[in-house]
Structure formats: C-alpha cells, structure tokens
Amino acid sequence: MNLKNRTVGSQYVATEILKQIIFKPNAVLGLATGNTMVEVYKMLADLLNINHIDVSNVVTFNLDEYVGLSAEHKQSYHVYMDTHLFKHNPTWNHKNIYLPVGNATNIKLESELYEKRLNEIGSADIQILGIGENGHIGFNEPYSSFESVTRVVDLTPSTIHANSQHFNHIEDVPKQAISMGLSSIMKANRIILLAFGKNKQQAIKRLLAGEVSEALPASILHNHSNVEVIIDDEIFTSIIEDGTL
C-alpha cells in the first residue's frame, strides 16, 4: 500500500494500533524499533493522550535487543521505547511491557524465557515490522531458519554498518542481539511492515517479487494470511519504473 510519505504511512499505522486498543483494551502488540518507527510512536502517543486512552492492560513485546547492553544504556531498545513511546503516557503498565534483557547473565536462558512468555500470553493482535536493507525482519538475518524462535543471533556486517549511525564508533555497535524468531513473528494475527526511502527499495522489490526463500527473511510473510506492506512514493515510483508490479 503506497501512502505517499513517511508521515502519512506512520499516521495510518498509529491509527490502526489505536483502533486495536480501543476494540480490545488488553491487546497484545508486537513492537519494533529503528528510525522507521519514530513517527509511528510519536503519533500513537499523541492519539492515546488526545483520546484519554488507558493502556494499562495492553501487553507489548519487542522484537529484539542488543546483547551486552543494559536497559539503561542510551542505545538500548529499552531506552528507545521509553523515549519514543512509554514515557509519554502514564498509564503504560511496565508489568505488561516485555523486552529481552540484553545483559542477562545467561543470554541463552533469557532467550528461552522470552519465547516462553510469548507462547504463554498468546499471539500478537498486531505485529509491526521494519525491514533491513538485506531483507531482515527483527534481527533475523539472511538464511535464518523459517522455524527459528527467540534466540541469540550474529549480526551481519551490513546490519552493523546500518546501525552504526546510532553509536560514536562502528566498533561500539554490538555484534549480537536477542531476536524474536521468524516462526515467533508469524504467530501474530496481523502484520504491518513499513518501509520508507531509497535505501529500502531493493529489499521491498525482492519481497514483492514473490520468491519465498530463507535468503530473504522477510519473504516468509508471503506465508501469512494477513500482511500489509506500507511504502512511500519514493519506493512505489521505483517499483513501477522497474516493472516489479
């Protein structure tokens, strides 16, 4: 779905999340991080506050966290979520907010417990996703098994380079992350993937080409019955010019 630009696309997704919360006050939301989600969360926070929505019963699960970063580290996804969403509404219940603990003593056990929590609480009503330049979703890099569950993953050089913009030096970027697996993501009832800008053009073109392969992790979404892909004019124009659609 082409929604013109990042702002319009973000507004659509924020509104869909709001509608889900109003319809089901104890909704389960699968959340993502990164530059793509910043406007989504700003708009969602504004909508929740304007409409005086109580989100104390909403449950959230984040896709991933860097291995080795504490929840207080300024580049952790704990801080990202607080900064962009949770601190803007006092009714968020932190007992219902789940993110992997990146500096857990036993990372393997932390991954297993996170997957267990996912299964106990049940399928996300909406899972939002970005997409990496190499087609990763979450931190499921190319050739991740379609059967994968929450686990420790090694980040590829391209992902490390892409994420280095948030760190002082590329050497500071963690080389591993705890990531929800592809099979975990696919349990969601509804999935909305957002992609904006020229650096995501090739990943979206490959996704829309239709081949389902572990070489392109996002291609697993072709096997889900309720997926929306939100793009902007820049990507849409490139797709049309290339004849992808």
Side-chain angles (χ1 to χ4, degrees):
M1 182 188 303
N2 176 24
L3 291 181
K4 187 176 181 179
N5 57 41
R6 180 186 298 268
T7 297
V8 177
S10 298
Q11 188 172 38
Y12 168 77
V13 176
T15 302
E16 290 302 294
I17 295 172
L18 175 71
K19 287 161 57 179
Q20 179 63 54
I21 293 171
I22 292 172
F23 173 74
K24 182 183 176 185
N26 62 340
V28 180
L29 304 176
L31 303 180
T33 53
N35 294 336
T36 303
M37 303 301 160
V38 170
E39 281 196 59
V40 174
Y41 293 142
K42 182 184 185 304
M43 292 176 178
L44 176 60
D46 288 344
L47 286 170
L48 293 173
N49 291 330
I50 290 168
N51 291 283
H52 306 288
I53 303 297
D54 183 338
V55 289
S56 58
N57 291 318
V58 174
V59 178
T60 70
F61 279 95
N62 264 73
L63 285 168
D64 39 40
E65 179 59 285
Y66 288 117
V67 168
L69 299 193
S70 70
E72 295 76 31
H73 191 286
K74 65 180 182 179
Q75 298 303 338
S76 73
Y77 291 144
H78 287 74
V79 169
Y80 174 103
M81 293 305 305
D82 279 335
T83 299
H84 295 293
L85 182 60
F86 298 137
K87 77 174 185 179
H88 299 287
N89 186 304
T91 67
W92 286 106
N93 182 352
H94 285 267
K95 292 182 179 179
N96 291 333
I97 293 171
Y98 295 96
L99 293 96
V101 178
N103 66 339
T105 303
N106 187 327
I107 294 295
K108 182 175 184 294
L109 179 60
E110 170 64 16
S111 303
E112 293 170 352
L113 289 175
Y114 200 74
E115 183 70 22
K116 182 180 178 183
R117 292 187 198 105
L118 285 169
N119 292 326
E120 288 173 347
I121 290 175
S123 304
D125 294 291
I126 296 178
Q127 172 70 60
I128 58 174
L129 298 172
I131 186 170
E133 294 178 32
N134 62 5
H136 73 242
I137 52 176
F139 273 132
N140 295 286
E141 300 282 26
Y143 299 102
S144 294
S145 169
F146 282 171
E147 303 302 318
S148 58
V149 296
T150 306
R151 69 212 184 283
V152 177
V153 298
D154 296 323
L155 305 183
T156 63
S158 65
T159 296
I160 292 170
H161 181 267
N163 291 346
S164 65
Q165 62 183 297
H166 303 295
F167 292 81
N168 291 330
H169 305 96
I170 194 168
E171 294 79 12
D172 298 331
V173 184
K175 306 302 187 292
Q176 292 183 312
I178 298 175
S179 179
M180 197 184 293
L182 292 171
S183 70
S184 311
I185 291 169
M186 290 289 284
K187 292 176 182 176
N189 297 326
R190 179 185 182 190
I191 296 174
I192 306 176
L193 184 148
L194 301 84
F196 306 121
K198 64 180 180 180
N199 64 325
K200 301 298 177 73
Q201 287 177 4
Q202 292 305 313
I204 292 299
K205 287 177 183 178
R206 291 176 65 199
L207 174 61
L208 296 182
E211 181 181 356
V212 178
S213 166
E214 290 181 352
L216 184 71
S219 69
I220 193 175
L221 299 178
H222 286 287
N223 296 333
H224 196 285
S225 61
N226 190 4
V227 176
E228 297 164 76
V229 177
I230 308 301
I231 60 175
D232 60 7
D233 277 346
E234 192 168 9
I235 294 177
F236 184 75
T237 299
S238 177
I239 287 171
I240 294 299
E241 288 176 350
D242 285 2
T244 305
L245 290 179

